[in-house]
Amino acid sequence: MEIRGPSLWESPPCTGVCFKWNDYDLMYEQTLKYCKVLLEDVEMLTMLNESKFELAYVESFDSCAPGIFQVKFRIVGGSNFLLLQILGIKNMVMVSAFGMLPRMYEIVGMVELPSFMPESYTPYSDDMTFLERLTNFRVYIKLMLHMRHWDSVFWEVFNAKYPGFPAIKEIYNEKTCLIMANVNEFAETPRPKTNMIRYIGGSTLYDAKPLTKVCTTEYSRSAAVV
């Protein structure tokens, strides 16, 4: 898997969409591969269920984890018989490194307003031109379509193994009890305020270091520094 590009400081200014849609699909394809492997790892799934976890943290892009957490196994009489129970872990915390994303708005029952709310993968602010608003709408629609498509792909994998498996969307809506979104100092995004959403910032900030002699000299010449 190769999803690489120039560093933040060397990359050209972003216009329109700040990522490649094929990279987005590649990420889900890799997730699908390990998801299929996890579903066949009976020993690990049994061990996880025997640990009796009550809460799970799930990345907002992950369509595999909610399905895995939905499945609960039980070994009967030491045999290889596995009983599927539609119980699993009852509560999930959704986390996001990119701020608020379409799935999160859906879970909290809010609608996105791409006419003036910039999407996470664009360089826009709330001050957009008409063409930028159109691009923002396009990004929003494509994100929703990609999310629906991949949710369906993962659901087919789970449903093939366990017929009658609930939709990924249903699992998220039923079990998500809290959303934790990153506050990115490089990319400001809309932050709706509800009791269900908590914003976590500073994870990519380093400890403060002393100023260089040059900076100290320059700043000392002024009565005040902003």
Side-chain angles (χ1 to χ4, degrees), residues 99-183:
M100 291 295 294
L101 295 169
R103 191 188 300 279
M104 296 177 165
Y105 285 100
E106 194 171 73
I107 289 173
V108 299
M110 300 176 66
V111 294
E112 286 192 79
L113 302 171
S115 60
F116 64 88
M117 288 173 54
E119 289 295 324
S120 299
Y121 301 109
T122 68
Y124 305 141
S125 68
D126 56 348
D127 183 17
M128 291 182 278
T129 65
F130 177 73
L131 290 179
E132 288 173 342
R133 293 175 194 274
L134 286 179
T135 301
N136 200 55
F137 259 104
R138 178 173 173 270
V139 173
Y140 163 73
I141 292 171
K142 290 204 69 172
L143 277 173
M144 292 295 292
L145 290 176
H146 275 256
M147 183 180 73
R148 292 281 184 267
H149 165 71
W150 283 107
D151 279 0
S152 177
V153 171
F154 279 83
W155 174 82
E156 289 175 359
V157 172
F158 284 105
N159 195 61
K161 193 172 183 65
Y162 308 109
F165 202 83
I168 301 298
K169 176 182 176 181
E170 293 177 12
I171 300 173
Y172 267 128
N173 290 344
E174 176 188 350
K175 297 192 174 186
T176 302
C177 58
L178 182 69
I179 291 175
M180 297 173 64
N182 181 37
V183 180

Side-chain angles (χ1 to χ4, degrees), residues 178-195:
L178 182 69
I179 291 175
M180 297 173 64
N182 181 37
V183 180
N184 193 322
E185 63 272 19
F186 297 115
E188 183 69 6
T189 57
R191 297 201 293 266
K193 294 183 178 180
T194 74
N195 290 333

Side-chain angles (χ1 to χ4, degrees), residues 2 6 11 15 20 26 28 31 37 64 69 79 86 105 118 122 124 126 131 187 206-207 211-212 215 224:
E2 185 74 11
S11 60
T15 58
K20 297 178 181 178
L26 181 60
Y28 271 101
T31 304
V37 173
C64 178
F69 297 146
S79 68
I86 305 301
Y105 285 100
T122 68
Y124 305 141
D126 56 348
L131 290 179
Y206 300 100
D207 294 336
L211 294 174
T212 63
C215 289

